[in-house]
Amino acid sequence: MTEQIHPLAPHHLPFYLAPGSGTDVLMVMMGIFLIGSVLWVGTLYWKLHSLPERMAHKSQKLQFEIVAVLGIISLFTHMHIFWVAGLLLAMIDLPDFGTPLRSIAGSVERIADAAPGEGREPELPILPPVEKPIVKGKEHSHV
């Protein structure tokens, strides 16, 4: 027996139409492309979001913790001003006040722990306080 073909049915279907009993290859390819695109955009977002933190960590900034906290705040609040503030803070070099102050504190501790009389100037004698004579007379008005 010969198959009868409907007179309006095309003999050759284009590639983007799925056959009646087969797998839609185009839909499978687009699904894989969609999943890959979402993962790529998510990775790009995370890299961009962590940019200030990576900049501060790479250059060993003192304000690294502040930049990290600003990044977390901007992530959870969706307020971009925190991210911008973290980026600006990561780009600025704050002066290091801690190292010289620790050096001064260490030197003062060494001086304080020195043995008595060692490298010190002789003490001056303590004199009794001088008394001022009391003058009795007319009081002056300040008015």
Side-chain angles (χ1 to χ4, degrees):
M1 273 198 182
T2 62
E3 286 185 36
Q4 293 202 357
I5 300 176
H6 194 276
L8 296 176
H11 297 289
H12 177 69
L13 292 175
F15 75 96
Y16 53 85
L17 291 178
S21 62
T23 305
D24 190 356
V25 178
L26 187 61
M27 186 181 78
V28 171
M29 289 178 15
M30 288 308 295
I32 292 170
F33 177 76
L34 179 65
I35 291 171
S37 297
V38 167
L39 290 174
W40 179 75
V41 168
T43 304
L44 180 69
Y45 174 76
W46 285 111
K47 284 191 183 238
L48 181 64
H49 182 76
S50 66
L51 178 68
E53 188 176 348
R54 286 186 287 130
M55 285 174 58
H57 183 67
K58 196 180 300 182
S59 60
Q60 301 294 318
K61 303 275 182 167
L62 295 173
Q63 64 269 27
F64 170 70
E65 290 87 9
I66 298 170
V67 172
V69 168
L70 286 172
I72 290 173
I73 290 172
S74 73
L75 178 67
F76 290 121
T77 62
H78 299 289
M79 295 179 71
H80 304 299
I81 191 70
F82 292 116
W83 186 84
V84 172
L87 182 64
L88 291 175
L89 195 57
M91 295 173 84
I92 294 173
D93 275 335
L94 293 180
D96 182 19
F97 294 115
T99 303
L101 290 177
R102 276 191 289 278
S103 174
I104 292 170
S107 299
V108 170
E109 284 180 6
R110 277 184 277 151
I111 291 171
D113 290 340
E118 198 178 294
R120 296 172 64 180
E121 294 183 16
E123 293 183 15
L124 298 175
I126 299 174
L127 300 175
V130 178
E131 294 183 22
K132 295 183 180 181
I134 300 174
V135 179
K136 291 186 178 182
K138 187 177 176 184
E139 290 185 19
H140 296 295
S141 175
H142 296 290
V143 182

